[in-house]
Amino acid sequence: MNFARQNTVDDKAIVKEYFNATGFDRWRRIYGQGEVNKVQNDIRIGHQQTIDTVIEWLQADGNLAQISICDAGCGVGSLSIPLADAGARVYASDISEKMVGEAQEKAQAILKNTNNLSFAVEDLEALRGKYHTVICLDVLIHYPQEDAAQMIGHLASLAESRLILSFAPKTFFLSILKKIGEFFPGPSKTTRAYQHKESDIIKILEENGFAIKRTGMTSTRFYFSRILEAVKP
């Protein structure tokens, strides 16, 4: 029996169920403008900083209106919508039907024209096609390290020029914080949280023909995300 594969399926099922149920309401509040507690507000600020960093990178290249982008794990459209508004052709997907529905409603309310933005309910492994840039932010935290190579390899096969990833970095300090947090489980903590060594992620990217171009780090009190932009030489 392939236990790694079984674990991936279990994690995927847990994530899908969570974000279509209690998790959807929690994260919609965090990603939105509604009232949240201090911890959730800190996570909201951190996640938005990660979004802002990626948008700044893409805008700095000055070619957004000429490229196609796959936003893998789009959530409620926090990245997809501003990129489409800037002129990029965006294909956005998420494993959660409720998340995708929320993203579509937001896009209709915000954008004057949504012809260059499409949404789909899909998990990472089901994605197909070719895109100039593939972006996957804050998704790897839901999957164990033993499956990261396969998942990143698949995303890399979709990217013609660039792959941008963010993940919870595995450091001694953050590992200790994670252990402490496990002693205080809240009702909304229903998914596993996996950290990844930056060196391991870089090695996987290099094995798939990509080189690191830019790096970033978002660090707040309760949100930590390492951002890597990898390009084909």
Side-chain angles (χ1 to χ4, degrees):
M1 180 177 180
N2 189 331
F3 289 102
R5 178 59 182 167
Q6 182 66 40
N7 193 52
T8 302
V9 173
D10 290 344
D11 281 315
K12 187 192 303 182
I14 291 170
V15 170
K16 184 176 182 178
E17 181 180 358
Y18 173 68
F19 282 104
N20 276 319
T22 57
F24 169 70
D25 292 328
R26 177 183 186 234
W27 288 99
R28 179 175 60 175
R29 290 196 305 272
I30 292 175
Y31 293 153
Q33 301 297 322
E35 184 177 348
V36 291
N37 61 40
K38 291 183 179 180
V39 173
Q40 292 171 335
N41 187 60
D42 183 84
I43 295 172
R44 173 190 287 174
I45 292 170
H47 179 74
Q48 188 59 49
Q49 287 177 4
T50 294
I51 296 290
D52 291 343
T53 295
V54 172
I55 291 175
E56 288 173 5
W57 286 354
L58 298 180
Q59 289 178 332
D61 291 342
N63 65 342
L64 264 177
Q66 287 79 49
I67 66 173
S68 60
I69 296 174
C70 174
D71 183 8
C74 66
V76 296
S78 302
L79 177 66
S80 300
I81 294 172
L83 290 181
D85 193 37
R89 301 185 307 279
V90 181
Y91 177 83
S93 67
D94 198 278
I95 195 172
S96 167
E97 183 178 357
K98 282 194 172 183
M99 286 287 188
V100 170
E102 179 77 6
Q104 289 174 319
E105 290 182 9
K106 287 179 61 178
Q108 291 291 339
I110 294 173
L111 301 178
K112 295 180 179 179
N113 186 347
T114 59
N115 290 338
N116 59 327
L117 174 60
S118 60
F119 290 98
V121 180
E122 289 183 307
D123 59 61
L124 298 185
E125 293 92 335
L127 290 173
R128 297 291 182 269
K130 290 291 184 180
Y131 309 88
H132 176 279
T133 297
V134 174
I135 304 173
C136 186
L137 302 183
D138 294 351
V139 174
L140 289 176
I141 195 171
H142 299 299
Y143 298 95
Q145 178 63 34
E146 56 264 27
D147 299 305
Q150 180 180 353
M151 294 175 62
I152 294 173
H154 178 61
L155 294 175
S157 72
L158 309 177
E160 295 177 329
S161 298
R162 173 171 51 195
L163 177 57
I164 298 176
L165 301 172
S166 76
F167 55 94
K170 189 172 186 178
T171 66
F172 177 76
F173 173 69
L174 294 182
S175 296
I176 293 297
L177 285 181
K178 181 175 181 292
K179 288 293 185 183
I180 293 173
E182 289 172 353
F183 286 107
F184 304 96
S188 58
K189 291 181 180 179
T190 57
T191 61
R192 303 176 182 118
Y194 296 101
Q195 298 167 297
H196 300 279
K197 291 182 179 179
E198 181 177 348
S199 58
D200 291 340
I201 301 299
I202 291 176
K203 181 179 179 181
I204 294 168
L205 290 167
E206 290 175 344
E207 289 173 347
N208 283 277
F210 287 80
I212 301 301
K213 178 181 178 182
R214 284 179 281 210
T215 65
M217 179 70 195
T218 303
S219 179
T220 65
R221 292 184 65 188
F222 301 101
Y223 175 96
F224 303 90
S225 186
R226 187 63 166 159
I227 319 165
L228 300 178
E229 178 190 29
V231 298
K232 288 188 175 179

